[in-house]
Amino acid sequence: MSADSLRFTTSGGRRDGSQAVWRALATVLLAVACQAGAWAQGGSAAPVPLRFGILPLGGAFESRNDWDPVLADLSRAVGRPIRVLSVTSYEALEQAIQRNEVDMAFLSGRMALDAVTQRGMRVVAQVTRHDGLPGYRALLLTRKTGPFTTLKGLLAEPERWRLARGESRSVSGFIVPQLQLFLPNHIAMETRFLSEVVGTHQFTALAVANGEADVATNNSADFERFRLQFPAEAARLQVIWESDIIPHAQIVVRRDDPPEFRRKVQAFLVDYARSAGPRGDTERGYLKALHDLAGFVAADNSSLLPAATLAYQLAKQNANTAQWVNEAAKQARLQRIESSYAEQREALRAER
């Protein structure tokens, strides 16, 4: 519609009054009509979907199915549809976060730490499990029978073993085993083994169970789940090493989301599966299927301090075992690590 298309005439059909006056009036009416249309369109527009990123703990399809009932309840609570991003690797999820394609996510320590300190996210909750422990443990798995079955043999001759491990951003699949076991024994996971394959915890356990690898990194929570899903394969495996406790994963949202939205999400998570009766029983069933979760507790960025400490310890251990052109270069690197860690801790404590 244009101003020229709005023509005003007298009852006799003759154009009346100044042409300039009619054009001005037509322009005003056109603006009012357009604004009314915009209001009507805005009032009927569907809410923008909330994009939820899922850490790939099992298969991508399996992870999505496990989360669907909980996210359906969250969608009703916040009044927005939810679009799930279920990926096959940590790297794919990290890239999606970098491209601002994720509004909310379920992330473990290092991934959550990077999302908060580098990608504009904020912690709102942390998961809890039925065992009541504040976290889980990294594991090493081997077959119960065969030539490669003991931790002593692994540490003595890693170059004879085929390794199945998690991605470098995986806390239990890479960071903790590297930090607490391999580097103290002068073994770099990336270079010392006969071969390596990289994948999810389910993938690494299956690789060892099926004879495609000799040792796998894993964790206590996912191995419990693996026993239920693959009992025959799990029966072939044994644990030869376990780590110290690793803090549970976090739920993060974008920092620039309105405070009211963050409070609504946090309230939903904290209350979820807490009520008595059929509704609570149903919600508890959803969480039980979802990596055996018991619920969520309110949390802030300071819950990532243990993850920051792990990352700092790994960086320091790598620096101390690396080859340097001179001592000055090594000390400069160590000083940068110390400064970065101090800044990170301060930032995590500040935003509570």
Side-chain angles (χ1 to χ4, degrees):
M1 179 182 289
S2 68
D4 286 335
S5 68
L6 292 177
R7 299 182 181 276
F8 297 86
T9 61
T10 65
S11 58
R14 180 178 56 84
R15 188 172 299 183
D16 188 43
S18 166
Q19 187 79 359
V21 172
W22 291 119
R23 284 181 178 275
L25 180 58
T27 300
V28 171
L29 292 174
L30 175 64
V32 171
C34 290
Q35 184 62 55
W39 285 336
Q41 183 178 8
S44 61
V48 177
L50 179 68
R51 301 165 298 179
F52 190 93
I54 300 174
L55 191 67
L57 297 182
F61 180 75
E62 175 191 354
S63 295
R64 177 174 184 144
N65 281 351
D66 291 341
W67 274 99
D68 274 346
V70 178
L71 295 182
D73 289 344
L74 174 62
S75 175
R76 287 188 287 271
V78 300
R80 288 175 63 180
I82 294 180
R83 188 167 70 235
V84 178
L85 175 66
S86 183
V87 296
T88 58
S89 70
Y90 286 64
E91 183 178 2
L93 181 54
E94 183 177 59
Q95 289 174 352
I97 294 173
Q98 290 176 5
R99 294 191 298 264
N100 293 322
E101 295 173 355
V102 174
D103 303 304
M104 183 176 177
F106 167 67
L107 303 174
S108 64
R110 181 57 187 267
M111 286 280 290
L113 179 66
D114 290 346
V116 165
T117 58
Q118 302 174 24
R119 305 300 172 197
M121 307 293 278
R122 183 172 183 167
V123 175
V124 293
Q126 190 166 24
V127 304
T128 61
R129 287 174 54 83
H130 292 285
D131 55 21
L133 295 175
Y136 56 101
R137 298 181 188 274
L139 306 176
L140 287 185
L141 306 175
T142 68
R143 286 185 299 280
K144 293 178 179 178
T145 59
F148 303 103
T149 60
T150 68
L151 181 61
K152 182 178 179 180
L154 171 65
L155 298 179
E157 296 181 294
E159 59 276 355
R160 296 184 60 195
W161 294 59
R162 297 167 299 165
L163 173 68
R165 67 169 176 87
E167 296 179 60
S168 59
R169 296 167 184 81
S170 171
V171 176
S172 60
F174 181 82
I175 294 174
V176 169
Q178 180 91 310
L179 174 64
Q180 295 187 5
L181 178 66
F182 290 116
L183 287 182
N185 284 281
H186 310 288
I187 298 169
M189 292 173 68
E190 311 96 308
T191 59
R192 284 292 300 279
F193 289 90
L194 176 64
S195 64
E196 71 169 14
V197 290
V198 177
T200 65
H201 299 303
Q202 182 183 105
F203 172 87
T204 61
L206 284 173
V208 174
N210 294 328
E212 298 166 356
D214 303 309
V215 61
T217 61
N218 217 278
N219 69 58
S220 53
D222 279 281
F223 191 45
E224 286 178 14
R225 185 178 178 84
F226 184 83
R227 284 191 175 106
L228 296 175
Q229 295 176 315
F230 302 93
E233 289 81 359
R236 303 172 199 157
L237 301 176
Q238 64 175 343
V239 176
I240 62 168
W241 174 83
E242 63 179 32
S243 73
D244 298 335
I245 288 286
I246 302 168
H248 286 307
Q250 280 89 1
I251 302 292
V252 300
V253 299
R254 294 183 61 83
R255 187 179 292 122
D256 56 7
D257 282 332
E260 177 59 30
F261 172 77
R262 292 200 302 268
R263 285 193 292 269
K264 189 178 292 187
V265 169
Q266 187 177 68
F268 166 82
L269 293 171
V270 171
D271 292 341
Y272 200 73
R274 304 291 185 190
S275 63
R279 176 184 169 185
D281 292 339
T282 299
E283 293 173 351
R284 284 184 283 276
Y286 292 156
L287 292 183
K288 178 71 175 176
L290 184 60
H291 311 296
D292 195 31
L293 300 185
F296 304 89
V297 293
D300 55 35
N301 290 349
S302 64
S303 66
L304 291 171
L305 287 168
T309 299
L310 283 175
Y312 157 73
Q313 290 172 340
L314 180 60
K316 192 173 179 179
Q317 186 83 268
N318 283 330
N320 281 321
T321 57
Q323 298 293 323
W324 297 93
V325 292
N326 54 50
E327 184 64 19
K330 176 181 177 180
Q331 292 304 318
R333 173 59 179 157
L334 289 171
Q335 183 56 50
R336 288 196 298 272
I337 291 171
E338 294 290 345
S339 298
S340 176
Y341 179 50
E343 292 172 3
Q344 203 169 61
R345 288 177 61 86
E346 183 178 351
L348 292 175
R349 285 173 171 150
E351 195 167 350
R352 297 192 180 194

